[in-house]
Amino acid sequence: MSGLDWFPFYAADWLADDRVQAMTNEERGVFVTLLAHAWRADATLPKDRTRLARMARVSRDELEALLDGVLGECWIETDDGLSNPKLTRVLEEQTEKSRKRTDAARKANESRWKKSGFDRSPSGSEPDPTAVRPDPIREEEIREEEKNPEGASAPTRDRPARRGRAKVKHWDAALEGDHADLVESHPAVVEWTAYLAERLPRAHQARTVENQIGKIRSTPPEEFRRLVDLAIGSGWQGWHFPDRNEGPTTSAKACASVRERVDVRGAFESSFLKAQRDPAKLAELRSRLQAKSDLGAEDRADIGAVLDAADAGEPEAALARFCEKSRALYRGEEVSR
C-alpha cells in the first residue's frame, strides 16, 4: 500500500494525451479505475488477468480486448506486475513530499517540547519534574499586550491557533466534501479558515458557511485573495464585498442590488453543484426557483436554463455560461446573452 489516499489528476495532461484522445469512453473509465487500484498498491497491478478483470469491473474477454488496444499501451509489464510510468513517477514525488512534511512536523514538535521543558528527541534527557516550565501561549499573550498597551486588538495573521478547528468544523466539512474544488479554484480559502479558527468568538453555523461559499464562488480568485489579505491584515472577522460604484451617479441602492444578485447566483451555483446528479434535488431547486418572487427576470431565466440543461443531461455548457455571467456581473461588466 502506498499510504496515500489520493493522487493528483493533471487535467491538462489528460486532455492533451494522444492515447487518451484515442480511447473510447469505456476505455477511459477502465483506465482511471485501474490507475486508482494501482495507486493503492505502490503503482503496480497484478499480472493475473482474472483479478485484473474483477478490478476493472469487466469480463476477462472484455479486458483482453481492451488491453489489445490503446489501453494496453499505457501499461508496461515488469517482474512485479503491470505499471504505468507516469503514475510511478507521481507516486515517488508525492511520497517524497509526504516524507518531508512528516520530518518537518517531527522537528517542530521536538522544538516545541524542548521549549516547554520536555525533550522527546532520542538524545534528550528526562525533564526535571520540579522545574517551572514556560507557557508558550501565555508568553505570546504577554508579547501582544506589550505591543498593545491600551488593549487594542492586533491582527492575528501570524498568531498560532489555540483552540483547534472546532469553530470552523462546518468549513472543514464543506471543503473536504461537496466543495473540495474550492481549495483549488480559490486557494486563499485555506488561509481564511485557518484565520477564522483563531479569530472567531464562536463557531460558524452550516448555513453561514454555505452562504459564504456561495459568495466566494461568485468572486474571482484574485479578488478573493485581495479581500482575505485585507480582512486578515485588519483583524476583521469577515471579508467585505467591495462597492460597485463606477461613478458619482451610481446609487447605493443599485450597488446593493448587484450584491444581492451575485449572492443569489452564487448560492444557486453552490446548491446546483451538490444536486446536479440527483433528480429529486433538482426538482426541489426548480420549485424553490418558482416560489422565489423577488428574483429578477434575467437571473430567473439564467437559472432556468441551467436546470433545463441538467434535465437534458448536459449541464456543463449552460453552467459555464452562468458562472461566466456571474463573475462578469461581480466585476461590473456587461455580457452578451
Side-chain angles (χ1 to χ4, degrees):
M1 297 289 286
S2 68
L4 299 173
D5 295 330
W6 61 275
F7 61 84
F9 186 88
Y10 300 101
D13 292 352
W14 173 266
L15 295 174
D17 189 279
D18 292 337
R19 287 172 298 187
V20 172
Q21 295 305 309
M23 291 181 186
T24 64
N25 285 337
E26 180 185 14
E27 287 173 321
R28 293 182 185 186
V30 170
F31 185 31
V32 172
T33 300
L34 292 179
L35 285 174
H37 280 291
W39 182 262
R40 299 185 62 194
D42 295 325
T44 304
L45 291 173
K47 295 180 182 180
D48 186 282
R49 291 295 196 263
T50 301
R51 286 184 59 195
L52 211 55
R54 284 201 297 267
M55 289 180 175
R57 302 295 180 89
V58 296
S59 68
R60 176 161 180 163
D61 290 342
E62 289 173 326
L63 178 70
E64 294 288 358
L66 291 171
L67 292 178
D68 286 339
V70 67
L71 182 62
E73 299 175 9
C74 300
W75 302 90
I76 59 175
E77 189 168 336
T78 66
D79 294 338
D80 298 326
L82 301 178
S83 65
N84 176 273
K86 181 171 182 178
L87 188 70
T88 301
R89 185 175 69 253
V90 171
L91 176 60
E92 292 172 352
E93 293 171 354
Q94 295 300 318
T95 300
E96 178 63 14
K97 289 181 181 179
S98 178
R99 184 191 64 78
K100 289 181 178 179
R101 286 194 293 266
T102 300
D103 289 346
R106 176 180 54 78
K107 291 177 181 177
N109 284 334
E110 289 177 358
S111 175
R112 185 162 59 249
W113 278 105
K114 287 178 181 178
K115 289 180 180 179
S116 63
F118 288 92
D119 185 356
R120 290 198 167 185
S121 62
S123 60
S125 58
E126 290 295 323
D128 179 1
T130 64
V132 177
R133 295 185 292 275
D135 182 348
I137 292 180
R138 180 54 188 155
E139 288 181 351
E140 178 70 18
E141 290 174 345
I142 292 173
R143 286 195 291 270
E144 290 296 331
E145 290 169 1
E146 290 174 348
K147 293 178 184 177
N148 301 274
E150 297 180 1
S153 176
T156 60
R157 184 175 195 144
D158 297 321
R159 291 170 58 189
R162 300 172 188 160
R163 299 184 180 177
R165 297 186 64 87
K167 287 182 287 189
V168 292
K169 62 181 181 181
H170 293 300
W171 279 100
D172 288 343
L175 296 178
E176 291 172 4
D178 295 327
H179 301 289
D181 62 300
L182 206 62
V183 176
E184 294 293 333
S185 63
H186 293 68
V189 74
V190 176
E191 185 176 356
W192 178 240
T193 54
Y195 169 78
L196 289 179
E198 162 66 16
R199 186 68 176 170
L200 286 177
R202 57 181 179 273
H204 270 172
Q205 298 302 310
R207 174 175 289 186
T208 300
V209 172
E210 284 294 326
N211 289 338
Q212 287 286 318
I213 286 177
K215 293 180 180 180
I216 293 172
R217 286 193 177 279
S218 297
T219 306
E222 62 279 4
E223 179 71 4
F224 180 62
R225 158 57 65 185
R226 187 186 69 79
L227 294 175
V228 167
D229 288 343
L230 177 61
I232 294 178
S234 303
W236 297 338
Q237 294 177 18
W239 53 277
H240 298 272
F241 200 106
D243 288 337
R244 288 290 160 221
N245 293 314
E246 297 200 356
T249 60
T250 304
S251 67
K253 183 176 180 180
C255 293
S257 175
V258 171
R259 286 196 294 272
E260 290 169 1
R261 288 185 61 193
V262 171
D263 288 351
V264 168
R265 294 173 73 96
F268 167 77
E269 181 184 346
S270 177
S271 299
F272 177 80
L273 288 173
K274 293 191 295 184
Q276 59 180 322
R277 301 189 184 281
D278 188 329
K281 290 184 178 180
L282 286 175
E284 181 183 349
L285 265 180
R286 191 179 289 277
S287 297
R288 284 161 53 189
L289 170 66
Q290 293 172 349
K292 195 169 180 60
S293 59
D294 59 341
L295 189 64
E298 185 177 1
D299 293 331
R300 185 182 298 276
D302 291 344
I303 292 174
V306 175
L307 292 174
D308 290 342
D311 290 341
E314 298 179 347
E316 291 81 6
L319 182 61
R321 288 193 297 271
F322 179 86
C323 295
E324 177 188 1
K325 190 169 183 179
S326 296
R327 285 152 180 71
L329 178 65
Y330 177 92
R331 295 190 295 266
E333 300 172 356
E334 292 293 331
V335 179
S336 57
R337 294 187 62 86

